[in-house]
Amino acid sequence: MFFTTIILAVREIRRHLLRSFLTVLGIVIGVAAVVTMVTLGQGATAAVAEQISSLGANILQIRPGQGFGRGGGGAQAPDFAMEDVEAIEEQIAGVRAVAPQAQASALAVRNAANWQTTINGTTTQFFTAQQWQLESGRVWNDAEEQAGKAVCVIGNTVRQNLFRNDDPIGERFRIRDVACEVIGTLSARGQGGFQDQDDVVLMPIKAVQRRFSGNRDIRFIMVAVDDAYDTASVQSQIETLLRERRSIGPGEQDNFNIFDTRQISETLQGTTRILTAVMGAVAAVSLIVGGIGIMNIMLVSVTERTREVGIRLAIGAVASEVLMQFLVEAVVLACLGGLIGLLLALVVTFFLAPVIQVPFLFDPQINLIAFSVSALIGIVFGYFPARRAAALNPIDALRHE
Amino acid sequence: MANDPIIALRAVTKTYGSGATAFQALKGIDLEVATGDFVAVMGPSGSGKSTAMNILGCLDVPTGGAFLFKGVPVEQLDRDQRALLRRRYLGFVFQGFNLLARTSALENVELPLLYRGEEKSRRRETAMAALAKVGLADWWDHTPAELSGGQQQRVAIARAIVTNPDVLLADEPTGNLDTTTSYEIMELLTGLNRDAGITVLMVTHEPDMAEYARTIIHFRDGLVERVEQGAAA
Ligand SMILES: Nc1ncnc2c1ncn2[C@@H]1O[C@H](COP(=O)(O)OP(=O)(O)OP(=O)(O)O)[C@@H](O)[C@H]1O
Ligand SMILES: [Mg+2]
């Protein structure tokens, strides 16, 4: 009997295709919205995690100022000096590598090709800290580092844009008015979250300071902590050391900050997760609205189909069978709507994810949940119209125009 | 046994509404219908014919009195029990045909079998046989919109008899049809009564149609005015 009811429901849906489609449109959109939001949100969370972890594991970033990023403490917070780097390296136990960094943004030019990129001045410790291998060539030696020679190691993106298929080793290109010799190329790391990690030119820090920034300041210091040591304790030792070196009295605030990348990663992931939840919740409201849409049209359709109900009752249908018929119709409709919604979400996220630059992650769980909810909506919102149909008096129903 | 009354009304009254607007449509009907009879119910408009038919068809219950169907007091049954009674023993034909729109003749005729839980293949077979009986075997896949009034009424009759009911109730079955078609429908009903032994109760305004009946019951103002033998007796 139950199977028959489903067949009847499907027949009824097929007989009124347009009406059926309009009935479930709300569910389709609701389910698609929820699944799209959550899927893209999860992709964004993963992208953030990926980007942070691409900075390296157990990495501390030290910057002047108090906030996250450059601002915060303002202009009075001085940059670091090479002596600070050396002090950390010599006095703190558990430090695997310390890499100072001075950055500049500049246009790199070679023959007709040019490319806007980031010039990152650092020491060879950078490669150790980042555990970044070379694809070809070599890194600069101590003599070149001390002299601040214009030699560079270039990322894969820069290589492709400036040199196409040529071998860049030994070649020169121009950054501002500096002719720079390529001595090495970095292995490709790819898209690290929202930013291309391979879009970089690495040079001895002295070269960048002298030729591009015009001072000896260090914008930030990257410290790689040995796996055997506790990152938090290393962090607090560095803080004590730097407070001393920067003459900060007791009770005064730090005019620099130290970020543990893992901590940032957790914070950011927490934030994107909350954002995902909020977007999902907003979309869920539209799903409820879709459910009310089903109820609305089912109620109208009960009125419209009063005579049909009368015929069924006269022929000998009992109330529960009529109730079942309308309920099953609502549930089958809602489930179909849910399925279409899932497909729609799949297509939308698949094509939208690359556009907003997050990875496409198919999560079966949210799909299952959204589908179950649409079935539930069918039951809940289909029940009232169904009960109304079942309660009809056969004579009145038959007389209904 | 064949002449036991299949239907018996005892002092049946029916009042619509309540209080000041209450209207007594049936004022005490006593009536017996023998198994296998062909009854025509006649009377002026508003005399309570349809009201009585609804009660006889177990679609409605009397306000007072007793209605015995095969000896069972119907007024004591609940909604669902009456539905099961209709499903098992009764067939209906209405003035307005009342077929499901956008649904093929075959599916319309199958409907009562569906509620009986019959197998699909048996459903098909039985429904096709019923359509053949009313002469519409070739029209099984047509929807009501694609059938003439007379054909629609035949489909309705096929639907009513597909379950082999004991009683066929028809409220003005020819009310919407022209004379020629009306006669065809009457021939069909007579045949079913004679060959399948189905008891037929039919409301009609036309004396020509009542000619087909063995018993004619005249209603007036919610009462049975008189019962006479029909031409077919
Ligand atoms: N649901 C109802 N509520 C109130 N009054 C009703 C209802 N149904 C019928 N009546 C009244 O009961 C009386 C009998 O109606 P009924 O339909 O039985 O007449 P009828 O003999 O079938 O008439 P007709 O030949 O026009 O079909 C009428 O006066 C009608 O107005
Ligand atoms: Mg009437």
Side-chain angles (χ1 to χ4, degrees):
Chain A
M1 186 62 216
F2 185 69
F3 189 64
T4 324
T5 324
I6 291 184
I7 292 179
L8 279 179
V10 173
R11 259 191 212 168
E12 202 55 44
I13 289 165
R14 269 219 320 258
R15 222 167 263 151
H16 306 273
L17 260 186
L18 182 65
R19 185 182 75 193
S20 305
F21 178 71
L22 291 176
T23 308
V24 298
L25 197 57
I27 297 268
V28 171
I29 292 172
V31 166
V34 169
V35 175
T36 305
M37 288 298 160
V38 173
T39 306
L40 291 181
Q42 282 173 343
T45 309
V48 167
E50 160 84 20
Q51 182 174 27
I52 302 285
S53 78
S54 72
L55 292 171
N58 298 337
I59 296 272
L60 296 175
Q61 307 242 28
I62 311 168
R63 290 165 191 270
Q66 281 161 339
F68 180 41
R70 285 180 162 240
Q76 71 270 27
D79 285 345
F80 302 106
M82 207 57 195
E83 289 74 27
D84 295 321
V85 177
E86 281 156 13
I88 292 170
E89 201 171 359
E90 281 156 20
Q91 295 175 33
I92 310 287
V95 170
R96 189 161 55 79
V98 184
Q101 274 170 269
Q103 289 180 336
S105 177
L107 189 70
V109 183
R110 177 185 176 254
N111 300 336
N114 59 60
W115 184 247
Q116 184 73 34
T117 184
T118 307
I119 317 298
N120 199 353
T122 184
T123 63
T124 49
Q125 298 240 354
F126 175 86
F127 301 95
T128 322
Q130 288 265 299
Q131 293 173 320
W132 202 340
Q133 313 294 330
L134 291 193
E135 166 97 17
S136 65
R138 61 177 179 92
V139 303
W140 53 83
N141 57 34
D142 284 352
E144 285 165 333
E145 187 161 299
Q146 288 306 318
K149 273 195 75 178
V151 290
C152 61
V153 174
I154 58 175
N156 195 43
T157 306
V158 177
R159 184 182 66 74
Q160 280 174 359
N161 283 286
L162 289 185
F163 295 96
R164 313 276 162 208
N165 298 323
D166 302 348
D167 179 12
I169 305 295
E171 293 291 317
R172 283 171 187 276
F173 66 94
R174 229 164 22 78
I175 304 169
R176 297 202 190 147
D177 51 1
V178 180
C180 208
E181 183 191 345
V182 180
I183 57 171
T185 59
L186 288 163
S187 59
R189 277 206 165 168
Q191 204 70 21
F194 300 100
Q195 146 195 338
D196 182 5
Q197 295 192 82
D198 297 323
D199 188 5
V200 71
V201 172
L202 296 170
M203 280 180 131
I205 187 163
K206 279 192 179 149
V208 173
Q209 285 170 334
R210 182 146 16 93
R211 297 164 204 255
F212 299 111
S213 24
N215 57 43
R216 305 198 52 222
D217 295 340
I218 292 167
R219 251 349 275 192
F220 74 95
I221 304 172
M222 186 194 288
V223 176
V225 179
D226 200 308
D227 283 343
Y229 287 76
D230 175 32
T231 315
S233 96
V234 171
Q235 180 175 350
S236 76
Q237 286 175 52
I238 295 176
E239 187 180 355
T240 314
L241 175 71
L242 286 178
R243 279 179 73 89
E244 206 174 287
R245 293 187 59 81
R246 291 162 83 89
S247 319
I248 300 170
E252 279 183 69
Q253 280 206 319
D254 293 351
N255 62 1
F256 61 93
N257 58 67
I258 306 176
F259 278 116
D260 181 348
T261 49
R262 191 172 342 148
Q263 210 177 314
I264 306 173
S265 164
E266 274 160 19
T267 313
L268 281 182
Q269 284 187 57
T271 311
T272 46
R273 227 173 266 134
I274 290 170
L275 273 176
T276 305
V278 169
M279 291 191 303
V282 170
V285 170
S286 71
L287 193 53
I288 304 276
V289 173
I292 294 172
I294 278 216
M295 179 155 79
N296 233 326
I297 298 196
M298 289 297 288
L299 278 174
V300 171
S301 119
V302 167
T303 317
E304 200 184 272
R305 291 160 65 185
T306 301
R307 186 189 274 269
E308 175 200 326
V309 174
I311 294 169
R312 291 180 187 274
L313 288 170
I315 277 170
V318 295
S320 64
E321 285 164 337
V322 172
L323 182 108
M324 245 340 203
Q325 185 201 335
F326 276 79
L327 196 56
V328 167
E329 245 180 80
V331 173
V332 169
L333 262 182
C335 287
L336 279 178
L339 271 182
I340 298 174
L342 290 186
L343 282 178
L344 192 65
L346 193 69
V347 172
V348 169
T349 46
F350 187 79
F351 287 104
L352 204 58
V355 175
I356 63 171
Q357 304 203 338
V358 302
F360 169 74
L361 296 176
F362 179 79
D363 177 8
Q365 199 184 339
I366 183 63
N367 281 275
L368 201 71
I369 290 175
F371 181 74
S372 312
V373 167
S374 61
L376 193 72
I377 280 176
I379 294 174
V380 172
F381 291 103
Y383 179 73
F384 298 97
R387 209 182 53 177
R388 172 181 284 199
L392 284 173
N393 174 333
I395 304 166
D396 295 342
L398 277 172
R399 209 179 279 153
H400 187 90
E401 280 312 313
Chain B
M1 288 299 277
N3 286 328
D4 267 4
I6 189 167
I7 283 168
L9 295 184
R10 309 249 183 268
V12 162
T13 60
K14 179 70 189 180
T15 306
Y16 288 114
S18 59
T21 59
F23 177 80
Q24 198 173 32
L26 297 181
K27 295 170 179 161
I29 305 275
D30 286 291
L31 191 67
E32 284 191 357
V33 175
T35 306
D37 203 354
F38 192 134
V39 180
V41 177
M42 298 191 74
S45 192
S47 57
K49 305 182 296 292
S50 293
T51 305
M53 285 297 265
N54 287 340
I55 291 173
L56 293 175
C58 304
L59 289 166
D60 207 351
V61 278
T63 314
F67 164 33
L68 299 169
F69 183 84
K70 291 184 162 241
V72 176
V74 175
E75 73 277 3
Q76 288 167 22
L77 302 180
D78 68 19
R79 218 179 115 101
D80 281 355
Q81 286 171 320
R82 278 184 281 125
L84 294 174
L85 206 67
R86 294 197 290 275
R87 179 187 296 191
R88 176 75 188 77
Y89 298 110
L90 298 174
F92 289 90
V93 178
F94 306 93
Q95 178 176 357
F97 317 139
N98 278 334
L99 299 173
L100 294 188
R102 279 184 261 194
T103 306
S104 74
L106 184 65
E107 279 174 357
N108 263 294
V109 177
E110 272 184 3
L111 202 60
L113 301 172
L114 243 154
Y115 286 113
R116 283 191 166 196
E118 301 257 359
E119 283 283 315
K120 181 174 177 162
S121 57
R122 248 188 78 75
R123 228 158 57 204
R124 282 273 133 120
E125 207 176 297
T126 321
M128 281 308 288
L131 276 175
K133 259 188 215 163
V134 299
L136 285 179
D138 293 340
W139 299 79
W140 64 272
D141 60 343
H142 287 238
T143 63
E146 299 162 353
L147 295 169
S148 72
Q151 286 171 325
Q152 287 185 57
Q153 194 60 300
R154 283 160 186 267
V155 174
I157 291 171
R159 182 180 65 189
I161 61 164
V162 75
T163 55
N164 258 321
D166 290 4
V167 177
L168 184 69
L169 296 148
D171 196 346
E172 303 190 39
T174 61
N176 283 1
L177 302 174
D178 63 54
T179 319
T180 323
T181 318
S182 296
Y183 284 127
E184 285 169 21
I185 295 293
M186 291 318 297
E187 291 292 346
L188 188 55
L189 291 179
T190 309
L192 289 169
N193 173 252
R194 186 183 55 228
D195 304 335
I198 298 175
T199 309
V200 178
L201 270 96
M202 172 190 73
V203 173
T204 182
H205 280 286
E206 297 154 90
D208 287 351
M209 303 304 144
E211 291 281 294
Y212 285 85
R214 272 196 290 271
T215 310
I216 302 174
I217 302 175
H218 291 273
F219 270 57
R220 183 174 288 279
D221 292 337
L223 287 169
V224 174
E225 189 185 33
R226 66 194 153 90
V227 179
E228 63 177 2
Q229 294 243 307

